[in-house]
Amino acid sequence: MRYAPAILIGRVVRRVARWRKPGGGSAIPGLIVNRIAPGFLASTLNSFPEGLVIVTGSSGKSTTTKMLVAVLRANGKKVFTNPSTANISQGLTSALLEQADLTGRIPGDLAVLEMDEGHGALVAATLRPRVVALTNVMVDQIDRFHDSQMVAAMLGRIASRATQAVVINADDEYLSRLAGTLAPAIQVERYGVTAEVLAENPRGLGYAQTSSRRLVSGEGIVVTQVNGRHAELELPEGRATVELPARGTHYAVDAATALATARAVLGDAFDLQSAVKAVSAIPPVFGRGEIATVQGKRVEFVLVQNPASFQLNVDSLEPDTEQVLVAVGSDVRDPSYFWPVDTSGIGRVLIASGSKAHDIALQLAYDDVTVERIEPDLGLALDDFLALPDPARGLKTIIFSADSMRRTRAHLGLATNSEELA
Amino acid sequence: MTRPLTVVSLLPELLDTNGDASNARVLAQRARWAGHGASVVPVTAGEALPAAVDAVVLGSGVDADFEAARGALLPLAETLREWVSAGVPVLAVGTGWELLSWGVELADGHVIEGLGVIPGRAVRSPARLTGDLVVSSRFGRLIGFENHARYYVGAEGSPLGRTVSGTGNGSGIEGVIVGSVIGTHMHGPVLARNPALGDHILTVALGRDGRSYARGGRSAEVDEIAKAARNQIAVRLGLATE
Ligand SMILES: [Zn+2]
């Protein structure tokens, strides 16, 4: 009952915070509990009978975590997991408070947590995860001023806490090197893509450094083919066809990460068929290639979070897509960031929008993309774009940055992502 | 038929963290839009330089790649010096500019010798300098984005311009112009955002061959987009619009 007073206080604060601002204030109770009972977070996370699993890396964490949780639940496990927006310490503590009993324990067999590398490295010293899954080292907008070595060092600190296994992306040179530094007793599970799959992504997969060598079957889980939303994977248990939540090699890699991690967690209880079924049932994600019907029109939403995902999405755009809207908002503080991306594959953009409309239009113009109209007012741009008759070729496609995605969702009254629901 | 304009993009694999290498693409596009043939030749570490060159672009990289970038540039230093003496225009942004200087002081205090192509040196600043950078110059008002943790000393006599907003070199001035070499902290597509600077480089590059440059019609359209982007920043900073 050591944490009972802190938990009770946290719950009262949570109720007050909700009463003051419905739906809001979710980090405040966590902040207070962390202050009055600093051991609560680690003690609760370390208390699951079948242990703690951490998913971390520069990108792909949310999808991987979701897939992994689905596989474990399909296997009959009771899993505690964090909503992806709550991966800062206070938010995580708040999420734990929702479910903890007064002894500070949460009912469940195991916990699967998505952590960003910075936060993970800070709390790692207090955690004893059974399995740590590492996705990749990319240079993203917020972290581009920190070098990749620093990100790799943070991931190394988290990985060094694993008691059983570390799951590694074998195509990522930083992670491959990291695997060599682990204690000999720690099992290393690898996943990766074949040379053919890599070759289909002429600009690579966005890793800060790609390994020169590909995995061969038997060394781990290998993505052997990606075809739209279908991927072929080769596992020690056999071959499998997985349905992805959106088009793109990176989703196939997320599926491989989730399956490799599930194998490490479940051991002999891992069942390929049920695992593949669970991964394939992950619903498409809003803003990541999801196709939704809005005001009677079918629209594909594509979220670009960094230059690598922008490039991958441009490259995987259906050729001759007739109606494209590109919106970049204030989250992209310095639009220089996107200029390494070759946008010429888009061909023609009907409207460039968002608070950085002129900047993205300028880049598109230099890439010989025709920009019909620049309309910084996103609401107006969306209304006019949706009002156009259905295109003869391809779907109405909206490519946006995270900030423009939120504004689009609010403007169109679209439901929030299931992944953002607590 | 004249030879197409050749723009060398040096070490884009190491020096393109902020999209600075795109300035090579911008020069080539503007040349094409003006009716000249043009191509970008990326030269990665260990590769040979092309025989003919009309302009050179060097971008900015992360400090972890500093030694690698310097090592890759060293064998090219002699040729670079020859080009500079021959008046080939060079645009060097951030780290790329610092590498051409006498020396660079890194975050740990360790000093790395530069290639010594241009005078001056980069020294540590007490804090990282990130934000909009506005410079009044002989090419008009230039607007860009800076993100660095070093000042530049020794360019006081030959700056690119005076800072109106932002830090630049750290002494009220920004950048350097020595002969045909332009160094700046304005990273990313500085030449697309400030086409007057790009057109100056093209005028020099084509002029060396006795060719003249006149802005193309497509450039004029695209420059209106750049002007709108600059004005947006000017409004945010409380400066007069163009
Ligand atoms: Zn960071």
Side-chain angles (χ1 to χ4, degrees):
Chain A
M1 301 292 273
R2 205 174 130 203
Y3 297 113
I7 291 166
L8 286 170
I9 290 169
R11 284 191 179 157
V12 170
V13 174
R14 192 180 73 216
R15 204 162 287 177
V16 173
R18 291 239 162 114
W19 169 70
R20 285 181 51 119
K21 187 182 169 210
S26 68
I28 299 158
L31 189 73
I32 289 168
V33 172
N34 280 351
R35 185 74 53 82
I36 58 183
F40 169 74
L41 180 75
S43 149
T44 302
L45 291 176
N46 289 330
S47 71
F48 287 87
E50 292 181 44
L52 167 66
V53 180
I54 293 176
V55 180
T56 185
S58 296
S59 82
K61 297 182 284 280
S62 296
T63 310
T64 303
T65 303
K66 215 179 308 173
M67 288 171 168
L68 172 61
V69 168
V71 173
L72 298 176
R73 284 183 178 153
N75 193 271
K77 300 289 179 196
K78 244 186 135 254
V79 183
F80 170 82
T81 187
N82 58 326
S84 61
T85 46
N87 55 17
I88 56 163
S89 190
Q90 292 87 346
L92 184 53
T93 303
S94 294
L96 290 172
L97 274 173
E98 302 265 344
Q99 299 192 32
D101 63 23
L102 288 182
T103 66
R105 283 182 195 259
I106 289 177
D109 301 315
L110 72 167
V112 176
L113 292 188
E114 172 196 342
M115 279 189 185
D116 71 65
E117 63 269 28
H119 172 245
L122 278 178
V123 299
T126 60
L127 299 177
R128 285 313 266 163
R130 217 181 105 202
V131 179
V132 172
L134 302 175
T135 61
N136 48 55
V137 176
M138 290 190 184
V139 181
D140 72 16
Q141 183 179 22
I142 297 143
D143 268 331
R144 74 188 147 133
F145 310 128
H146 296 154
D147 49 77
S148 335
Q149 274 147 7
M150 187 188 283
V151 174
M154 293 193 279
L155 295 181
R157 227 169 295 151
I158 304 169
S160 71
R161 302 296 300 164
T163 58
Q164 181 207 316
V166 174
V167 182
I168 296 274
N169 184 343
D171 296 323
D172 187 307
E173 178 63 23
Y174 280 104
L175 298 184
S176 301
R177 254 181 265 154
L178 194 158
T181 67
L182 298 167
I186 301 301
Q187 158 198 346
V188 176
E189 298 292 337
R190 293 182 166 81
Y191 61 91
V193 304
T194 58
E196 291 73 26
V197 170
L198 188 64
E200 284 162 16
N201 296 271
R203 296 181 185 86
L205 295 172
Y207 309 142
Q209 212 181 323
T210 300
S211 319
S212 51
R213 194 181 153 270
R214 307 276 72 78
L215 274 187
V216 295
S217 55
E219 290 181 321
I221 298 186
V222 184
V223 177
T224 57
Q225 208 188 318
V226 182
N227 190 356
R229 282 181 54 181
H230 302 279
E232 296 286 331
L233 271 63
E234 218 173 85
L235 292 87
E237 289 79 8
R239 296 174 156 276
T241 304
V242 176
E243 177 110 11
L244 307 172
R247 268 203 308 267
T249 304
H250 40 313
Y251 293 104
V253 175
D254 292 344
T257 319
L259 291 171
T261 312
R263 285 185 78 249
V265 172
L266 296 170
D268 291 342
F270 178 81
D271 175 66
L272 182 57
Q273 255 188 329
S274 112
V276 164
K277 208 174 137 205
V279 167
S280 301
I282 296 292
V285 187
F286 184 93
R288 290 180 178 84
E290 187 205 12
I291 297 163
T293 302
V294 185
Q295 297 168 12
K297 303 275 168 55
R298 298 224 313 147
V299 185
E300 178 157 13
F301 295 97
V302 178
L303 174 67
V304 295
Q305 289 171 297
N306 51 45
S309 80
F310 198 165
Q311 191 68 66
L312 287 167
N313 281 307
V314 167
D315 294 346
S316 61
L317 202 65
E318 212 64 74
D320 295 322
T321 299
E322 200 179 275
Q323 295 185 6
V324 178
L325 183 153
V326 179
V328 176
S330 55
D331 52 324
V332 181
R333 172 75 181 87
D334 167 26
S336 307
Y337 172 64
F338 279 143
W339 279 70
V341 178
D342 176 2
T343 62
S344 57
I346 304 179
R348 178 162 166 260
V349 165
L350 292 194
I351 310 179
S353 189
S355 61
K356 296 287 195 289
H358 289 100
D359 294 283
I360 190 64
L362 189 63
Q363 176 176 1
L364 291 163
Y366 273 101
D367 282 343
D368 284 328
V369 176
T370 308
V371 179
E372 302 285 351
R373 177 178 163 197
I374 302 172
E375 177 50 71
D377 182 333
L378 182 57
L380 198 57
L382 289 166
D383 291 344
D384 289 355
F385 185 71
L386 290 172
L388 291 170
D390 281 326
R393 285 186 320 275
L395 286 171
K396 277 183 193 287
T397 300
I398 298 180
I399 300 173
F400 42 34
S401 70
D403 170 66
S404 295
M405 176 182 80
R406 280 187 288 274
R407 289 170 193 274
T408 297
R409 199 147 63 187
H411 183 80
L412 300 178
L414 293 167
T416 47
N417 267 348
S418 51
E419 74 163 15
E420 287 188 357
L421 294 174
Chain B
M1 189 61 199
T2 46
R3 185 175 69 74
L5 184 90
T6 303
V7 184
V8 168
S9 172
L10 275 184
L11 311 182
E13 80 281 20
L14 294 171
L15 300 175
D16 192 22
T17 307
N18 303 302
D20 319 296
S22 64
N23 288 302
R25 198 158 99 221
V26 170
L27 287 174
Q29 268 299 33
R30 296 186 72 79
R32 277 182 220 117
W33 288 339
H36 301 274
S39 68
V40 174
V41 179
V43 175
T44 57
E47 278 186 337
L49 293 166
V53 61
D54 298 293
V56 178
V57 168
L58 268 114
S60 208
V62 295
D63 275 5
D65 291 333
F66 207 99
E67 297 272 14
R70 181 177 175 275
L73 283 178
L74 272 180
L76 313 178
E78 204 41 54
T79 312
L80 270 177
R81 269 190 215 102
E82 280 164 27
W83 287 352
V84 169
S85 338
V88 173
V90 176
L91 175 76
V93 179
T95 321
W97 164 25
E98 294 172 342
L99 279 164
L100 298 184
S101 77
W102 288 334
V104 183
E105 189 188 10
L106 294 180
D108 58 5
H110 177 68
V111 175
I112 292 185
E113 209 174 309
L115 270 66
V117 174
I118 52 163
R121 60 178 72 251
V123 296
R124 275 187 296 177
S125 62
R128 180 160 279 280
L129 309 159
T130 305
D132 299 303
L133 179 56
V134 183
V135 177
S136 102
S137 80
R138 65 177 157 109
F139 310 104
R141 187 174 70 186
L142 308 173
I143 298 190
F145 195 88
E146 64 179 327
N147 183 344
H148 52 109
R150 283 186 284 269
Y151 296 141
Y152 194 91
V153 294
E156 289 72 17
S158 53
L160 175 59
R162 271 185 312 106
T163 52
V164 177
S165 181
T167 305
N169 296 5
S171 48
I173 56 164
E174 155 58 15
V176 65
I177 298 193
V178 184
S180 60
V181 180
I182 298 178
T184 181
H185 292 105
M186 283 184 276
H187 74 208
V190 56
L191 301 183
R193 284 185 192 146
N194 303 281
L197 190 58
D199 287 351
H200 162 76
I201 292 175
L202 286 173
T203 304
V204 173
L206 291 161
R208 290 182 60 247
D209 257 6
R211 288 182 280 178
S212 65
Y213 171 81
R215 184 173 75 154
R218 177 73 183 135
S219 293
E221 289 168 25
V222 172
D223 291 352
E224 285 302 307
I225 305 177
K227 185 163 101 182
R230 289 197 306 276
N231 277 338
Q232 198 180 356
I233 295 165
V235 168
R236 178 152 37 82
L237 297 174
L239 301 171
T241 55
E242 293 171 43

